Amino acid sequence: MTVLPKINGQTKWAGVVGWPVSHSKSPLIHNYWCEKYGINATYIPLPVPPEKLPLIIPALAHMGCVGINLTLPHKELVMPHIQYLDNFARTIGAVNTIVVNAQSLRGYNTDAYGFWQNIVCQTAGRLKTGALKKDKAFVVGAGGAARAVVAALDKAGFTTIYVMNRTFSKAQAMQEVSPKVQAVKWLAAANELSGCNLLVNTTSLGMKGQPPLEVAIGKLAPDALVTDIVYTPLKTPLLKAAELLGMPIVDGAGMLLYQAQKAFELWFGVLPDVDKTVREIVLRDTA
């Protein structure tokens, strides 16, 4: 059952701005947390076409808004309208969270935090070696999500980050995010995969209705971790193949939840628990 927010004259609000935005699960997540922690706020979807974004963003400070999330196609378009950018937003070149106050709009990118926190929390106590080795990582894809993943891996301390993309020049461009990046040509990566401690799929391959990602995971280090930011289905063909080889896996649902966790803390000063209930909310109706 959906919990309806109790709205009154003191209610603050946050929301997600996108075009389209009806698919977003963020209202379910944040409204659950507002109810759980007794915060007088609500979170709403805001469908905004790109040409209207310059009108909407400056008005937020005058409308009782504490902050917004941004999804496609606004993460890059919003940057000229922000007075402050955190290091991740500047490095990744995209903003997914804005904190609104009377003096300024502060832009953050919580996707990098969400990706790495998901890794940390889902692997706690599960890895045979105790901790994930941070020698070499292999990232498939070079879009916006991949930029957040590479930024997270750089900060986490990986020494080499291979990036494979269909368009080789886009893989090369990831060196803007981290000098540790080495670009790899599409599906010609057997040597680079050899000995990698982590494989990350940031593409739509493996998503429901899409072909699977075909990559030689047997070349990875024996104790390698395999993760996928896709969560429809929760266990993609890549993750199933890794499980068959006895490799630890991490699904993609947590990245959505943990990036939301950080945004919620930025707005309300409370770091919410990513508990079983909120995870079930995200995975509801997900095949």
Side-chain angles (χ1 to χ4, degrees):
M1 183 178 71
T2 301
V3 177
L4 297 177
K6 299 177 179 64
I7 298 174
N8 54 44
Q10 286 73 48
T11 302
K12 298 294 184 180
W13 66 274
V16 56
V17 174
W19 188 256
V21 77
S22 59
H23 65 284
S24 177
K25 294 181 180 289
S26 293
L28 296 172
I29 298 168
H30 289 286
N31 283 319
Y32 166 74
W33 281 334
C34 285
E35 179 76 13
K36 178 177 179 178
Y37 294 100
I39 295 171
N40 187 5
T42 188
Y43 185 103
I44 59 176
L46 298 164
V48 176
E51 65 273 15
K52 300 296 185 183
L53 191 68
L55 299 176
I56 298 300
I57 297 303
L60 294 173
H62 309 289
M63 299 170 62
C65 178
V66 296
I68 60 168
N69 289 132
L70 297 120
T71 187
L72 294 175
H74 298 316
K75 290 185 178 184
E76 294 83 15
L77 295 175
V78 78
M79 293 184 70
H81 307 286
I82 306 298
Q83 288 77 49
Y84 166 85
L85 294 173
D86 81 331
N87 289 334
F88 273 135
R90 195 176 296 109
T91 299
I92 296 166
V95 168
N96 79 326
T97 301
I98 294 176
V99 175
V100 178
N101 58 50
Q103 290 75 38
S104 65
L105 300 176
R106 302 174 70 84
Y108 300 83
N109 191 302
T110 66
D111 286 333
Y113 169 89
F115 167 77
W116 188 248
Q117 193 68 10
N118 186 38
I119 296 289
V120 170
C121 292
Q122 285 205 47
T123 59
R126 289 179 49 214
L127 300 179
K128 295 178 182 178
T129 56
L132 179 62
K133 293 180 182 177
K134 299 176 182 178
D135 182 16
K136 297 188 294 182
F138 194 98
V139 177
V140 183
R147 293 178 73 88
V149 166
V150 168
L153 295 177
D154 182 294
K155 185 174 182 181
F158 279 82
T159 56
T160 303
I161 305 169
Y162 295 107
V163 176
M164 181 178 73
N165 193 63
R166 289 185 186 276
T167 304
F168 185 63
S169 61
K170 290 185 177 180
Q172 291 176 306
M174 296 292 280
Q175 292 168 350
E176 300 169 356
V177 179
S178 171
K180 301 174 183 178
V181 166
Q182 294 187 27
V184 177
K185 292 185 177 179
W186 187 252
L187 297 184
N191 291 334
E192 288 84 1
L193 277 166
S194 180
C196 281
N197 311 112
L198 174 65
L199 172 65
V200 187
N201 176 35
T202 72
T203 74
S204 61
L205 292 172
M207 187 181 292
K208 187 176 181 179
Q210 297 291 324
L213 171 65
E214 297 180 354
V215 63
I217 59 175
K219 297 284 186 179
L220 295 166
D223 57 349
L225 175 70
V226 178
T227 185
D228 202 324
I229 69 168
V230 168
Y231 60 91
T232 51
L234 186 63
K235 194 172 288 186
T236 62
L238 173 67
L239 298 186
K240 289 180 179 179
E243 265 193 332
L244 287 174
L245 292 176
M247 296 176 176
I249 62 171
V250 167
D251 65 64
M255 181 175 175
L256 171 66
L257 287 164
Y258 285 107
Q259 66 80 24
Q261 179 193 55
K262 177 56 67 174
F264 193 90
E265 181 187 33
L266 288 168
W267 297 328
F268 301 115
V270 174
L271 185 69
D273 184 27
V274 177
D275 58 21
K276 181 179 178 181
T277 300
V278 75
R279 184 173 170 87
E280 289 174 350
I281 288 171
V282 166
L283 297 179
R284 194 173 296 153
D285 302 321
T286 297

